[in-house]
Amino acid sequence: MTDEAPIRPEARSPRGFADRRGRDLTAERRIVARVSEVYERWGFEALETPAFEYADALGKFLPDADRPNEGVFALQDDAGSEEPGEWMALRYDHTAPLARFAAQNWETLPKPFRRYAYGPVWRNEKPGPGRLREFWQCDADTVGSDRPEADAEIIAMGCEGLRAAGLSEGQAVIRVSNRKLFDGLFDAGGITDPLQRLTALRAVDKYDRLGLEGVRALLGEGRMDDSGDYTKGARLPSPVIGAIEAFLASAETPGLSRAGVLDAVAASGAGLGAAGEAALAELAAIDRALTAMRVGEAEVKFDPTIVRGLEYYTGAVFEAELLLETKDDKGRAVRFGSIGGGGRYDDLVARFTGQSVPATGFSFGVSRLASALRAAGRGAEDATRGPIVIIVFSEDDMQHYLDAASELRAAGIAAELYLGRAGMKAQMKYADRRGAPAVVILGGDELAAGEVTIKDLDVGRAQAAAIADNEAWKAARPGQQKVARSALVATLRGIIE
C-alpha cells in the first residue's frame, strides 16, 4: 500500500481550441442560418464533405511527403493493415474538399455546379489573439463557369450575406482586384522566377500595414522592422519596382468609382502586359454586372492592392473588410480587418483531372464575424434565454412539479424542474444564472388554493433596481404575481413573448 496521492490530469484546453457556450453557439448558428438562407435563395445547393480528406487531395501545407502535418492536423490511416496507410488530414477550408468532390463526381453534376457549405475547419498554426486552430466558415462556390458575371454574382451575394449576418451599409466593404494585374506587371518586367514573384506579392499584401515606403523596401533588398527582425526582399529591378509603385498609387485618389479605379490603373504608366489588360477587361465586366444588380459603390470597391490566396487564386480576388468600430474587453479599439474573402481558382480541380475547370467562390469567417459583432456591442441578441425554472419544495409534491413541467413543454415553452438539493434562495440564484425569464412556485399554500406564484425575473430585476431599501424590496416582491393554476401557460407565454 502507498500513501501517494493519485496522479490526476490537469483540466485544460488544447492551445488554439476553445470551449463555447450558449451565447457563442447562438451567434454562430444565427450567422450560418441567415447566410445559408441567402445562398439558397441565390440557387446554391448544400453540400457536406467529411472532416478528413486524404492529405494529397488537400494539396496545401504539405512540404514534407513523409510527415505531411505542416499546417494541418494529419494522421496515418493504417486501416488495420500491416502496411503503412495513407495520410489523412482534417480539412483546412471547404474549397479543397469541393475541388476533390467536383473531380470525383464531375460526370453526374449539373454544370455549372453551385454549392454552399458550412462547418468547422482546422489549421495547425501558431494560435494567438483572435486566431484559433478550429473555427467555422460558410462558403459558396460556382464550379464550371469562366464568365466574369459568375464572379460578380458571388460578390453581390457576399454583400447580401453580410447584411443578413447583421451588418448594415457602411459597416463592411468588399474590395476586389485581379491576380492577373500583377502577372502582367511581372511579365512586362521580365520577372519569371516563381519564388521572386511570390515574395513580391507577399510584400504587396502588407501595403495596408506598411504603406508604400515599407512595400518598396520589401520589393527591393528587404526591410528591418521595429523589433529588429529583418525580412529579405524580392530584389526586383528598379524599373519593375517603379512600375509597381505607380500601379499601387493609381487608385489612391479618394472617392473614385469602380470604373474610375480601372481608368486610373490603365493610365498609371505601369506596363500591364496582355495578362493585365485581360484583368482590366474582366474587372470592367464585373463592374457592369454589379451595377446591373444594383450593388452600390460603397458596398464593393476595386482595390488593386488586394492580394490573397497566393497559392491558388488565378483571377479575380475579393476580400470583405469590417469597418464597424470594435473594442476589446477593456474598451480599447481593435481592428478586425478581414472577415471573409474569395476569388477565382481555375486550377484546383485540374490537380485531379489534368483539365482546367473554372471556379469562383466566397467564404465567410463565421467565428471571426461573430467575435467582431460581439466586440462591436452586438452580443445582446445572442444572449441565451434559459428555461422556466420550477422551484422544488417537497418530495411529497413532486408529481405536481412534474405535471407543471410537462404542461409547459407540451405548450412549447422550455421548462426545467430544479433537480438539485438546495433551498429556495439557492434555487432562485440558480434560475438567475440560467437566464430564466421566470420561476414557478408551487408551495403548499398555492397547491391548496389551486393557484401558482410566478416571479418574472426580468421585471423583478428592473423594479428592484429602483428600490434602495431591503425591507421595502421584500414587501414589494417586485415582478411576483399569483394566478390560478389553470392560467399557468397563458401567463408565462405573456412574460416570454
Side-chain angles (χ1 to χ4, degrees):
M1 298 291 291
T2 178
D3 294 330
E4 291 184 9
I7 299 175
R8 302 185 187 279
E10 179 185 352
R12 65 201 189 281
S13 299
R15 286 196 319 132
F17 296 85
D19 298 313
R20 296 174 300 159
R21 293 186 64 187
R23 182 187 67 172
D24 298 325
L25 294 174
T26 298
E28 293 187 7
R29 288 170 181 169
R30 174 177 54 81
I31 291 173
V32 166
R34 292 180 179 178
V35 173
S36 296
E37 183 181 348
V38 171
Y39 290 163
E40 291 189 0
R41 191 163 60 248
W42 284 67
F44 285 71
E45 170 191 336
L47 172 68
E48 183 174 279
T49 59
F52 275 95
E53 295 281 342
Y54 283 116
D56 61 345
L58 285 175
K60 183 185 174 188
F61 299 136
L62 306 176
D64 186 345
D66 294 329
R67 192 168 179 269
N69 61 352
E70 180 67 28
V72 296
F73 293 97
L75 58 86
Q76 203 165 12
D77 177 23
D78 60 18
S81 170
E82 295 181 1
E83 297 295 325
E86 295 185 71
W87 280 93
M88 302 189 304
L90 287 169
R91 64 188 180 216
Y92 57 79
D93 68 6
H94 294 294
T95 308
L98 170 63
R100 185 270 306 159
F101 175 85
Q104 190 175 357
N105 299 277
W106 192 243
E107 295 303 320
T108 62
L109 293 177
K111 303 173 188 63
F113 178 55
R114 299 154 66 89
R115 84 89 178 87
Y116 76 90
Y118 58 83
V121 298
W122 297 266
R123 297 184 184 177
N124 191 0
E125 301 173 334
K126 183 179 180 180
R131 181 183 292 275
L132 294 174
R133 288 171 163 173
E134 179 185 33
F135 51 93
W136 273 59
Q137 289 185 329
C138 188
D139 294 28
D141 297 77
T142 298
V143 182
S145 174
D146 62 356
R147 300 179 64 94
E149 291 80 7
D151 299 303
E153 185 182 60
I154 288 287
I155 295 166
M157 187 172 64
C159 291
E160 187 171 330
L162 287 170
R163 291 194 298 271
L167 295 173
S168 54
E169 184 176 348
Q171 294 179 342
V173 62
I174 296 181
R175 303 188 186 277
V176 181
S177 187
N178 194 305
R179 283 289 306 279
K180 294 177 185 177
L181 290 171
F182 280 99
D183 290 340
L185 282 169
F186 294 143
D187 290 344
I191 308 301
T192 59
D193 181 2
L195 180 58
Q196 195 175 21
R197 288 189 175 205
L198 184 61
T199 303
L201 287 173
R202 285 174 175 161
V204 173
D205 195 32
K206 298 179 174 65
Y207 181 79
D208 62 337
R209 182 164 56 89
L210 300 181
L212 192 58
E213 183 177 345
V215 171
R216 182 189 300 119
L218 290 175
L219 292 173
E221 292 301 313
R223 176 182 180 274
M224 183 176 293
D225 63 21
D226 295 337
S227 68
D229 289 338
Y230 182 78
T231 302
K232 186 178 178 180
R235 298 183 178 179
L236 298 178
S238 295
V240 179
I241 294 177
I244 292 177
E245 286 185 33
F247 172 74
L248 294 177
S250 62
E252 285 292 289
T253 305
L256 281 180
S257 66
R258 291 190 292 261
V261 171
L262 298 184
D263 290 340
V265 169
S268 67
L272 297 178
E277 295 299 333
L280 289 178
E282 291 172 10
L283 288 171
I286 290 173
D287 180 38
R288 290 192 295 271
L290 290 173
T291 301
M293 288 185 283
R294 296 178 175 80
V295 177
E297 298 280 351
E299 292 181 277
V300 178
K301 298 181 181 294
F302 286 167
D303 182 349
T305 68
I306 295 299
V307 180
R308 60 177 289 115
L310 303 179
E311 293 82 0
Y312 56 77
Y313 287 130
T314 58
V317 288
F318 11 99
E319 186 163 84
E321 179 187 357
L322 185 72
L323 304 179
L324 191 63
E325 182 179 334
T326 53
K327 297 180 179 180
D328 62 15
D329 294 338
K330 297 182 179 179
R332 297 171 298 193
V334 294
R335 181 177 179 273
F336 267 82
S338 176
I339 51 174
R344 176 162 289 280
Y345 51 98
D346 290 347
D347 295 335
L348 283 193
V349 178
R351 293 183 58 250
F352 301 93
T353 64
Q355 297 178 339
S356 180
V357 177
T360 184
F362 184 84
S363 173
F364 280 96
V366 176
S367 302
R368 187 169 181 80
L369 181 53
S371 297
L373 291 174
R374 189 162 56 251
R378 299 284 190 84
E381 65 177 307
D382 299 318
T384 55
R385 293 296 275 163
I388 300 295
V389 174
I390 299 169
I391 302 296
V392 171
F393 291 97
S394 168
E395 296 286 340
D396 296 337
D397 295 324
M398 188 62 70
Q399 185 64 56
H400 294 286
Y401 310 144
L402 292 169
D403 288 344
S406 298
E407 183 179 349
L408 293 175
R409 292 164 185 159
I413 298 174
E416 173 188 349
L417 181 65
Y418 179 77
L419 294 176
R421 296 189 180 276
M424 172 76 168
K425 184 177 180 180
Q427 291 186 53
M428 293 297 296
K429 187 175 182 179
Y430 171 83
D432 192 50
R433 285 185 173 179
R434 290 283 281 128
V439 296
V440 172
I441 300 173
L442 283 167
D445 293 341
E446 284 87 359
L447 291 173
E451 296 176 331
V452 58
T453 297
I454 297 174
K455 187 171 182 63
D456 186 328
L457 296 184
D458 289 335
V459 170
R461 278 186 287 267
Q463 293 180 357
I467 302 175
D469 182 75
N470 190 46
E471 293 301 320
W473 180 85
K474 289 181 179 179
R477 297 189 177 186
Q480 188 165 303
Q481 59 179 310
K482 187 172 288 188
V483 300
R485 173 64 179 81
S486 59
L488 173 65
V489 169
T491 303
L492 287 174
R493 182 167 283 136
I495 289 174
I496 294 170
E497 296 177 356

